[in-house]
Amino acid sequence: MYIAIKELHSFIGFMTLTLFSFAIIFNLISWLGKKPFTNVNKIITLVGMVSVHTQVLIGLILYFLSPLGLSNFSGVAMKDAQSRLYILEHPLIMIIAFVLVTVGYSKAKKLTDDNAKYKAIITFFFISLILILSRIPWSIWI
Ligand code: HEM
């Protein structure tokens, strides 16, 4: 079970980064090209957000199954940078990114002006992407 969820988290991680980055780039190009915010923008933005939601949900399950997750929580482990990344920094920063993505999407949904919609999505999603990229265990993953 643990291995299956770990592999899923790793695989969905690639998909999340691709779909989420694509949502930012697509909206950025539309905004710079002064194009209206269409249903296509809406769907691509929604897919980007849902990919982060899915990955966070799988991450939460993994946190309780992995020997690097909750079961490794101790004062000693917190003093080790790699252990601390999995126990605290990775989950916490990813959850903050999840909240920002959701807030950005909800804000954009309420706005009527296309320019303001683009700004809300691009700003919130971009900050989230930076946070996500900053706490991925790159050395182990790739
Ligand atoms: C957008 C959100 C997230 C992304 C992109 C992400 C990405 C990753 C990646 C790439 C790995 C390395 C996988 C591997 O070594 O094969 C990993 C490991 C891990 N992640 Fe996440 N993660 C996210 C959210 C979360 C959350 C919210 C939690 C917990 C609450 C979490 C818990 C873990 C744990 C415990 C591991 C270590 C698994 C192990 O090797 O045993 N992740 N994550």
Side-chain angles (χ1 to χ4, degrees), residues 52-71:
V52 173
H53 282 192
T54 309
Q55 178 67 342
V56 167
L57 186 71
I58 298 166
L60 280 168
I61 299 167
L62 186 60
Y63 194 65
F64 294 96
L65 298 176
S66 169
L68 302 173
L70 186 66
S71 63

Side-chain angles (χ1 to χ4, degrees), residues 2 6 9-10 13 16-17 52 55-56 59-60 62-63 66-69 86 90-91 94-95 132 136-137 140-141:
Y2 157 59
K6 178 179 140 72
H9 193 62
S10 178
T16 302
L17 287 187
V52 173
Q55 178 67 342
V56 167
L60 280 168
L62 186 60
Y63 194 65
S66 169
L68 302 173
Y86 288 115
H90 177 83
M94 298 305 181
I95 289 168
I132 291 171
I136 281 182
I140 283 150
W141 194 34

Side-chain angles (χ1 to χ4, degrees), residues 105-134:
Y105 182 85
S106 315
K107 251 179 168 283
K109 210 173 156 184
K110 285 184 204 130
L111 294 164
T112 46
D113 175 50
D114 283 358
N115 192 42
K117 261 187 205 288
Y118 280 129
K119 277 188 184 168
I121 292 167
I122 294 164
T123 309
F124 279 86
F125 278 34
F126 185 71
I127 296 169
S128 300
L129 181 65
I130 298 295
L131 290 178
I132 291 171
L133 292 177
S134 78

